[in-house]
Amino acid sequence: MAERLQQFYLITLGEAVLRSGEALSGSNLGTPHARGFGLAFVAIVLLWRVYFYRAGAVLPLAITSARMPIQEAVAVAGTHLLMVTGVFLAGVGFALYIMEPLGRPEPKWLIVILGGPALFLAGRSLFELQVFSRISRSRLAGLLALGLLIPATWYLPPLAVGGAAAAVLAGIVASDAWRGRGRAPELPAPRI
């Protein structure tokens, strides 16, 4: 079950790559569009890294070590649905800021450009709670930062909003790396 969920997540990341490439090929291939594509690729790598850091790596062990493995697997599948939906929505945001990197700001675009990573982080936080019975502060800080970016980026072009969302994900990755220096991998401690 764990491997299937991870494969499903990776397929969704692949779909985001495909959507980004399709958006770039449909654009006029100017420098801002290429920057948007580069930013989308960086964001996809960050989404991969945030997912697999610790909880994603020990998911099979978390399911098998749970007191009720079937219930744990079903709960984990639900959080994967949230994460996959977030990545899919982020992929739509990638296409927006690749196609219209310097376009007129549309506040409704914030729903996909910031909302996709936020939905992913919400699912990832619940996933971490299911695997380790705790949520990292960096995940909660990332959700708060994405929420605070809504008014701060209201009038910015889509590429700048995408850059801000990627910066939040990069901050989470940096925090994980800082906290994890020299520490042994954490063993899962599922509540179920």
Coordinates of all heavy atoms in Angstrom, one line a residue, residues 97-145:
Y97 N 1.8 30.7 -14.4 CA 2.9 31.7 -14.4 C 4.0 31.4 -15.4 O 4.9 32.2 -15.6 CB 3.5 31.9 -13.0 CG 4.2 30.8 -12.2 CD1 5.4 30.3 -12.7 CD2 3.7 30.3 -11.1 CE1 6.1 29.3 -11.9 CE2 4.3 29.3 -10.4 CZ 5.5 28.8 -10.8 OH 6.1 27.9 -10.1
I98 N 3.8 30.3 -16.1 CA 4.7 30.1 -17.3 C 4.1 30.8 -18.5 O 4.7 31.5 -19.3 CB 4.9 28.6 -17.6 CG1 5.7 27.9 -16.5 CG2 5.5 28.3 -19.0 CD1 5.8 26.4 -16.5
M99 N 2.8 30.6 -18.7 CA 2.1 31.3 -19.8 C 2.0 32.8 -19.7 O 2.1 33.5 -20.6 CB 0.7 30.7 -19.9 CG 0.6 29.2 -20.3 SD 1.2 28.8 -21.9 CE -0.2 29.5 -22.9
E100 N 1.7 33.3 -18.5 CA 1.5 34.7 -18.2 C 2.4 35.2 -17.1 O 1.9 35.7 -16.1 CB 0.0 35.0 -17.8 CG -1.0 34.6 -18.9 CD -1.0 35.6 -20.0 OE1 -0.6 36.8 -19.8 OE2 -1.4 35.3 -21.1
P101 N 3.7 35.1 -17.2 CA 4.6 35.4 -16.1 C 4.5 36.8 -15.6 O 4.6 37.1 -14.4 CB 6.0 35.1 -16.6 CG 5.9 35.1 -18.1 CD 4.5 34.7 -18.4
L102 N 4.4 37.7 -16.5 CA 4.3 39.1 -16.2 C 2.9 39.7 -16.4 O 2.8 41.0 -16.5 CB 5.4 39.9 -16.9 CG 6.8 39.4 -16.8 CD1 7.8 40.1 -17.7 CD2 7.3 39.5 -15.3
G103 N 1.9 38.9 -16.5 CA 0.6 39.3 -16.8 C 0.0 40.2 -15.7 O 0.5 40.3 -14.6
R104 N -1.1 40.8 -16.0 CA -1.9 41.6 -15.1 C -2.3 40.7 -13.9 O -2.8 39.6 -14.0 CB -3.1 42.2 -15.7 CG -3.7 43.3 -14.9 CD -4.9 43.8 -15.6 NE -6.1 43.3 -15.0 CZ -7.0 42.5 -15.7 NH1 -6.8 42.2 -16.9 NH2 -8.0 42.0 -15.0
P105 N -2.0 41.2 -12.7 CA -2.3 40.4 -11.5 C -3.8 40.1 -11.4 O -4.7 40.9 -11.6 CB -1.9 41.3 -10.3 CG -1.0 42.2 -10.9 CD -1.4 42.4 -12.3
E106 N -4.1 38.8 -11.2 CA -5.5 38.4 -11.0 C -5.6 37.7 -9.7 O -5.0 36.6 -9.5 CB -5.9 37.3 -12.1 CG -6.0 37.9 -13.5 CD -7.2 38.7 -13.7 OE1 -8.2 38.5 -13.0 OE2 -7.2 39.5 -14.7
P107 N -6.2 38.3 -8.7 CA -6.3 37.7 -7.4 C -6.8 36.3 -7.3 O -6.4 35.5 -6.5 CB -7.3 38.7 -6.6 CG -7.1 40.0 -7.3 CD -6.9 39.7 -8.7
K108 N -7.7 35.9 -8.3 CA -8.2 34.5 -8.3 C -7.1 33.6 -8.6 O -7.2 32.4 -8.3 CB -9.3 34.4 -9.3 CG -9.0 34.7 -10.7 CD -10.2 34.7 -11.6 CE -9.9 35.2 -13.0 NZ -11.1 35.4 -13.8
W109 N -6.0 34.0 -9.3 CA -4.8 33.1 -9.6 C -4.1 32.7 -8.3 O -3.4 31.7 -8.3 CB -3.9 33.8 -10.5 CG -4.4 34.0 -11.9 CD1 -5.6 33.6 -12.4 CD2 -3.7 34.6 -13.0 NE1 -5.7 33.9 -13.7 CE2 -4.5 34.5 -14.1 CE3 -2.4 35.1 -13.2 CZ2 -4.2 35.0 -15.4 CZ3 -2.1 35.6 -14.4 CH2 -2.9 35.5 -15.5
L110 N -4.3 33.5 -7.2 CA -3.6 33.2 -6.0 C -4.2 31.9 -5.4 O -3.5 31.2 -4.7 CB -3.9 34.3 -4.9 CG -3.3 35.7 -5.2 CD1 -3.6 36.7 -4.2 CD2 -1.8 35.6 -5.4
I111 N -5.4 31.5 -5.8 CA -6.0 30.3 -5.3 C -5.2 29.1 -5.8 O -4.9 28.2 -5.0 CB -7.4 30.1 -5.8 CG1 -8.3 31.2 -5.2 CG2 -8.0 28.8 -5.5 CD1 -9.7 31.3 -5.8
V112 N -4.7 29.1 -7.0 CA -3.9 28.0 -7.5 C -2.4 28.1 -7.2 O -1.8 27.2 -6.8 CB -4.2 27.7 -9.0 CG1 -5.6 27.2 -9.2 CG2 -3.9 28.9 -9.8
I113 N -1.9 29.3 -7.3 CA -0.4 29.5 -7.2 C 0.0 29.4 -5.7 O 1.0 28.7 -5.4 CB 0.0 30.9 -7.7 CG1 -0.3 30.9 -9.2 CG2 1.5 31.1 -7.4 CD1 0.0 32.3 -9.9
L114 N -0.8 29.9 -4.8 CA -0.5 29.7 -3.3 C -1.3 28.6 -2.7 O -0.9 27.9 -1.8 CB -0.8 31.0 -2.6 CG 0.1 32.2 -3.0 CD1 -0.4 33.5 -2.2 CD2 1.5 32.0 -2.7
G115 N -2.5 28.4 -3.2 CA -3.4 27.4 -2.6 C -3.0 26.0 -2.9 O -3.1 25.1 -2.0
G116 N -2.3 25.7 -4.0 CA -1.8 24.4 -4.3 C -0.8 23.9 -3.3 O -0.9 22.9 -2.6
P117 N 0.3 24.7 -3.1 CA 1.3 24.4 -2.1 C 0.7 24.4 -0.7 O 1.1 23.5 0.1 CB 2.3 25.5 -2.2 CG 2.2 26.0 -3.6 CD 0.8 25.8 -4.0
A118 N -0.3 25.2 -0.4 CA -0.9 25.2 0.9 C -1.7 23.9 1.2 O -1.6 23.3 2.3 CB -1.8 26.4 1.1
L119 N -2.4 23.5 0.2 CA -3.2 22.2 0.3 C -2.2 21.0 0.5 O -2.4 20.1 1.3 CB -4.1 22.0 -0.9 CG -5.1 20.9 -0.8 CD1 -6.0 21.0 0.4 CD2 -5.9 20.9 -2.1
F120 N -1.1 21.1 -0.3 CA -0.1 20.0 -0.2 C 0.5 20.0 1.3 O 0.6 19.0 1.9 CB 1.0 20.3 -1.2 CG 2.3 19.5 -0.8 CD1 2.3 18.1 -1.1 CD2 3.4 20.1 -0.2 CE1 3.5 17.4 -0.7 CE2 4.5 19.4 0.1 CZ 4.6 18.0 -0.1
L121 N 0.8 21.2 1.8 CA 1.4 21.3 3.1 C 0.4 20.9 4.2 O 0.8 20.2 5.2 CB 1.9 22.7 3.4 CG 3.2 23.1 2.8 CD1 3.6 24.5 3.2 CD2 4.3 22.1 3.3
A122 N -0.9 21.2 4.0 CA -1.9 20.7 5.0 C -1.9 19.2 5.0 O -1.9 18.6 6.0 CB -3.2 21.3 4.6
G123 N -2.0 18.6 3.8 CA -2.0 17.1 3.7 C -0.7 16.5 4.3 O -0.7 15.5 5.0
R124 N 0.4 17.2 4.0 CA 1.8 16.7 4.5 C 1.8 16.8 6.0 O 2.4 15.9 6.6 CB 2.9 17.5 3.8 CG 4.3 17.1 4.2 CD 4.6 15.6 4.0 NE 5.9 15.2 4.2 CZ 6.4 15.0 5.5 NH1 5.7 15.1 6.5 NH2 7.7 14.7 5.6
S125 N 1.3 17.8 6.6 CA 1.2 18.0 8.0 C 0.4 16.8 8.7 O 0.9 16.2 9.6 CB 0.7 19.3 8.4 OG 1.5 20.4 7.9
L126 N -0.7 16.5 8.1 CA -1.6 15.4 8.6 C -0.9 14.1 8.4 O -0.9 13.2 9.3 CB -2.9 15.4 7.9 CG -3.8 16.6 8.3 CD1 -5.1 16.6 7.4 CD2 -4.2 16.6 9.7
F127 N -0.2 14.0 7.3 CA 0.6 12.7 7.0 C 1.7 12.5 8.1 O 1.9 11.4 8.6 CB 1.2 12.9 5.6 CG 2.1 11.7 5.2 CD1 1.7 10.4 5.3 CD2 3.3 12.0 4.7 CE1 2.6 9.4 4.9 CE2 4.2 11.0 4.3 CZ 3.8 9.7 4.4
E128 N 2.4 13.6 8.4 CA 3.4 13.5 9.4 C 2.8 13.2 10.8 O 3.4 12.4 11.6 CB 4.1 14.9 9.5 CG 5.4 14.8 10.4 CD 6.2 16.1 10.3 OE1 5.7 17.1 9.8 OE2 7.3 16.1 10.7
L129 N 1.6 13.7 11.1 CA 0.9 13.4 12.3 C 0.6 11.9 12.4 O 0.7 11.3 13.4 CB -0.3 14.3 12.5 CG -1.1 14.1 13.7 CD1 -0.3 14.5 14.9 CD2 -2.4 14.9 13.6
Q130 N 0.2 11.3 11.2 CA -0.1 9.9 11.2 C 1.1 9.0 11.4 O 1.0 8.0 11.9 CB -0.8 9.6 9.9 CG -2.2 10.2 9.8 CD -2.7 10.2 8.4 OE1 -2.0 10.1 7.4 NE2 -4.1 10.3 8.3
V131 N 2.2 9.5 10.8 CA 3.4 8.6 10.9 C 4.2 8.8 12.2 O 4.6 7.8 12.8 CB 4.3 9.0 9.7 CG1 5.7 8.2 9.8 CG2 3.7 8.6 8.4
F132 N 4.3 10.1 12.7 CA 5.2 10.3 13.9 C 4.4 10.8 15.1 O 5.0 11.1 16.1 CB 6.2 11.4 13.5 CG 7.2 10.9 12.5 CD1 7.4 11.6 11.3 CD2 8.0 9.8 12.7 CE1 8.3 11.2 10.4 CE2 8.9 9.4 11.8 CZ 9.1 10.1 10.6
S133 N 3.1 11.0 15.0 CA 2.2 11.5 16.0 C 2.7 13.0 16.5 O 2.6 13.3 17.6 CB 2.3 10.6 17.3 OG 1.8 9.4 16.9
R134 N 3.2 13.7 15.5 CA 3.6 15.1 15.7 C 3.6 15.8 14.4 O 3.6 15.2 13.4 CB 4.9 15.2 16.4 CG 6.0 14.7 15.6 CD 7.4 15.3 15.8 NE 8.4 14.6 15.0 CZ 8.6 14.9 13.7 NH1 7.9 15.8 13.1 NH2 9.5 14.2 13.1
I135 N 3.6 17.2 14.4 CA 3.7 18.0 13.2 C 4.9 18.9 13.4 O 5.0 19.5 14.4 CB 2.4 18.8 12.9 CG1 1.2 17.9 12.7 CG2 2.6 19.7 11.7 CD1 -0.1 18.6 12.6
S136 N 5.8 18.9 12.4 CA 6.9 19.8 12.5 C 6.5 21.3 12.4 O 5.6 21.7 11.7 CB 7.9 19.6 11.3 OG 8.4 18.3 11.3
R137 N 7.2 22.1 13.2 CA 6.9 23.6 13.2 C 7.1 24.2 11.8 O 6.4 25.1 11.4 CB 7.8 24.3 14.2 CG 7.4 24.0 15.6 CD 8.2 24.9 16.5 NE 8.3 24.2 17.8 CZ 9.4 23.9 18.4 NH1 10.6 24.3 17.9 NH2 9.4 23.3 19.6
S138 N 8.0 23.6 11.0 CA 8.3 24.2 9.7 C 7.1 24.0 8.8 O 6.8 24.9 8.0 CB 9.5 23.5 9.1 OG 9.3 22.2 8.8
R139 N 6.3 23.0 8.9 CA 5.1 22.8 8.1 C 4.1 23.8 8.5 O 3.4 24.4 7.6 CB 4.5 21.4 8.2 CG 5.5 20.2 8.1 CD 6.0 20.1 6.7 NE 6.8 18.9 6.5 CZ 8.1 18.8 6.7 NH1 8.8 19.8 7.1 NH2 8.8 17.7 6.4
L140 N 3.9 24.0 9.8 CA 2.9 24.9 10.2 C 3.3 26.4 9.9 O 2.5 27.2 9.5 CB 2.7 24.8 11.7 CG 2.1 23.4 12.2 CD1 2.1 23.4 13.7 CD2 0.8 23.2 11.6
A141 N 4.6 26.7 10.0 CA 5.1 28.0 9.6 C 4.9 28.2 8.1 O 4.6 29.3 7.7 CB 6.6 28.1 10.0
G142 N 5.1 27.2 7.3 CA 4.9 27.3 5.9 C 3.5 27.6 5.5 O 3.2 28.4 4.7
L143 N 2.5 26.9 6.2 CA 1.1 27.2 6.0 C 0.8 28.6 6.4 O 0.1 29.3 5.6 CB 0.2 26.2 6.8 CG 0.1 24.8 6.2 CD1 -0.6 23.9 7.2 CD2 -0.8 24.9 4.9
L144 N 1.3 29.1 7.5 CA 1.1 30.4 7.9 C 1.6 31.4 6.9 O 1.0 32.4 6.5 CB 1.7 30.7 9.3 CG 1.5 32.1 9.9 CD1 0.1 32.4 10.1 CD2 2.3 32.2 11.2
A145 N 2.9 31.2 6.5 CA 3.5 32.1 5.5 C 2.7 32.1 4.2 O 2.5 33.2 3.6 CB 4.9 31.6 5.2

